[in-house]
Amino acid sequence: MVDAAQNAVIRRLIRAGAGSDDEIDALLKDVGLTEVARVLVEEVLFRCPEPANTAAVDVALDLTHGGERHTVALRMVRDEPIRTVEDDSARVRSRVAFTAPDLVRRLFGPADSPRTGDFRNSFVPTPQDPGQVSELLAEMNTVLRAAAQATATLMAGCTGRCPDLGELSIRYGSDKWASFHWYTAHYERHFAPYRDRPVRVLEIGIGGFDDDLGGGSLKMWKRYFPQGTVFGLDIYDKTALTEPRLTALVGDQNDPEYLTEMAREHGPFDIVIDDGSHVNEHVLTSFRTLFPYVRPGGLYVIEDLQTAYFTDFGGSTGGVAGPGTSLGLVKGLIDDLHHREHREPAVVRPTPAQSTVTGLHAYHNIAFVEKGTNGEDTLPSWMDADVWTALGAK
Ligand SMILES: C[S@@+](CC[C@H](N)C(=O)[O-])C[C@H]1O[C@@H](n2cnc3c(N)ncnc32)[C@H](O)[C@@H]1O
């Protein structure tokens, strides 16, 4: 679980990462290097991929600020969680050192922040006598490779950059790529412009079965948006997943009162993703209630549109998704987007969707709705069909 103080530090770190050196200095002065380092190391450990080295290796991360130093030694080996261990210089094979402001910028700053730091390897011992050289070379073959792999794992955790969403989906156990769905390429396309912003992301549907709490996609979003704050909503209690920058909420996506209260507390959101029950009625309730809480310039995503044709999800038969279905909603949004073109009757008072849907991208089973001000005017009313014909328009 996350305490309020930790959340406050994270919020300041996200702001300071994109801000001035003075902001980072002020944060370090107020909170102290030890507390800042605790939060930074937790973030680094979250971002690290699984270690690839088969031989266990200790690597150290040094953080400095002013005259102070904070060190954490990490033991890494394949198939085991990375754990902190005593900083034993006889065991530590490589040492990665950043000034605290450097690491703040690497983790929370713009993608083009300078990548500086001190990187020292201690995995090459000095031979005591010539006879030891071949022994050391043999050891280096295994130790050097393991140390390099472990150091690379640590370095991959010390950056905002990350593998593509397909790989993250597999890493964290979401089904958005290469299992049931092929969504992540579409997500890459539409989410890339938001990547280096302090976005607030809400996903309906956390996933997981039996003892598995799920949360794969929430972790994927947390890693993909290095400055992001991620909320997951599920009908089942998965609050044990709550950690820095990730909050699991309990509620029913078909309950407008709950959704409104939740959005008032945690929104507005830059991105809302509906990967919940996929019951058509629920999809419509969530969209109608939550779209107003998407920020202008934001996105609302609806997954698994196929249930628009599944009768046990309230879908339609006969190959045409009706108005009460998710796809009916999506098709209706195209009409809403064009409300200024409606004739007989013309729209006098646009609905919220008509005023704020500015774009729509539909792919197989997934749609992205853009939010903004749908303010483009129609053509002048005297430009009727005769005028068009006279102008030579087709
Ligand atoms: C497909 S899973 C989500 C998978 C997850 N987003 C991922 O990609 O890893 C759907 C989730 O929706 C939740 N759910 C079902 N009905 C719901 C409702 N009425 N309100 C909120 N969540 C619901 C289920 O408990 C389940 O965890």
Side-chain angles (χ1 to χ4, degrees):
M1 295 303 265
V2 195
D3 53 59
Q6 201 172 356
N7 264 335
V9 175
I10 278 278
R11 277 198 299 275
R12 281 188 70 180
L13 279 168
I14 290 171
R15 272 201 307 276
S20 64
D21 287 348
D22 288 349
E23 272 176 80
I24 302 179
D25 280 344
L27 172 61
L28 280 154
K29 198 164 163 235
D30 291 351
V31 182
L33 178 64
T34 307
E35 180 56 16
V36 170
R38 183 171 78 90
V39 177
L40 291 178
V41 168
E42 189 166 344
E43 185 70 34
V44 167
L45 289 179
F46 167 74
R47 294 188 190 194
C48 282
E50 285 179 16
N53 47 301
T54 48
V57 168
D58 290 2
V59 293
L61 174 62
D62 283 344
L63 286 181
T64 55
H65 185 65
E68 276 187 277
R69 172 182 296 270
H70 182 98
T71 299
V72 57
L74 302 164
R75 182 152 306 157
M76 298 195 190
V77 64
R78 187 188 285 178
D79 297 332
E80 285 183 24
I82 300 171
R83 61 193 173 94
T84 49
V85 289
E86 194 194 337
D87 179 17
D88 174 355
S89 54
R91 284 195 60 97
V92 168
R93 295 297 186 180
S94 90
R95 202 165 274 280
V96 167
F98 300 109
T99 66
D102 264 354
L103 187 59
V104 172
R105 289 206 190 290
R106 278 177 161 264
L107 294 176
F108 300 110
D112 56 0
S113 297
R115 303 263 178 257
T116 54
D118 282 335
F119 315 115
R120 292 166 206 280
N121 38 42
S122 55
F123 46 69
V124 189
T126 312
Q128 298 304 306
D129 60 69
Q132 223 189 350
V133 171
S134 58
E135 195 186 308
L136 284 179
L137 283 175
E139 191 199 353
M140 269 173 57
N141 271 338
T142 49
V143 175
L144 187 110
R145 183 170 158 74
Q149 286 172 316
T151 308
T153 300
L154 175 59
M155 291 300 284
C158 293
T159 168
R161 285 282 141 247
C162 65
D164 75 23
L165 272 176
E167 204 176 321
L168 288 183
S169 171
I170 304 293
R171 180 190 293 180
Y172 294 117
S174 169
D175 67 359
K176 295 194 195 302
W177 182 245
S179 55
F180 296 125
H181 308 299
W182 301 94
Y183 295 148
T184 56
H186 305 307
Y187 276 120
E188 290 274 6
R189 177 176 178 193
H190 291 281
F191 284 7
Y194 301 86
R195 193 156 180 192
D196 286 314
R197 297 193 210 162
V199 285
R200 293 176 87 75
V201 178
L202 167 70
E203 180 162 16
I204 303 169
I206 296 179
F209 299 93
D210 300 329
D211 291 341
D212 168 19
L213 269 182
S217 54
L218 302 183
K219 291 186 176 154
M220 177 173 95
W221 302 132
K222 175 175 162 178
R223 184 67 183 90
Y224 184 76
F225 296 111
Q227 304 168 37
T229 305
V230 178
F231 299 88
L233 167 67
D234 207 281
I235 194 127
Y236 295 109
D237 184 349
K238 287 159 191 286
T239 47
L241 288 168
T242 295
E243 60 182 37
R245 300 203 293 119
L246 191 165
T247 304
L249 306 164
V250 192
D252 181 353
Q253 74 167 122
N254 200 33
D255 177 348
E257 276 172 27
Y258 165 76
L259 292 179
T260 304
E261 201 181 308
M262 179 278 297
R264 281 195 184 132
E265 184 179 350
H266 299 292
F269 304 104
D270 299 275
I271 292 173
V272 173
I273 301 157
D274 184 349
D275 184 21
S277 69
H278 306 302
V279 173
N280 285 277
E281 180 200 338
H282 299 183
V283 175
L284 269 57
T285 305
S286 299
F287 180 82
R288 287 185 185 128
T289 315
L290 292 176
F291 195 65
Y293 292 93
V294 174
R295 279 208 181 100
L299 290 173
Y300 193 103
V301 187
I302 307 174
E303 288 191 8
D304 287 19
L305 295 168
Q306 71 275 11
T307 61
Y309 306 108
F310 297 176
T311 49
D312 49 350
F313 284 72
S316 305
T317 52
V320 177
T325 68
S326 57
L327 269 174
L329 166 77
V330 169
K331 291 189 280 187
L333 293 177
I334 302 179
D335 289 328
D336 288 338
L337 182 60
H338 292 92
H339 74 89
R340 281 175 195 259
E341 316 301 341
H342 295 192
R343 306 281 186 270
E344 296 167 19
V347 174
V348 180
R349 202 167 293 137
T351 64
Q354 288 173 331
S355 313
T356 58
V357 170
T358 54
L360 196 111
H361 307 258
Y363 304 91
H364 183 221
N365 289 342
I366 186 168
F368 294 74
V369 186
E370 291 179 5
K371 167 96 180 253
T373 302
N374 182 21
E376 284 176 28
D377 212 346
T378 182
L379 294 174
S381 57
W382 54 267
M383 278 202 168
D384 58 14
D386 293 342
V387 175
W388 277 64
T389 310
L391 286 172
K394 298 254 189 292

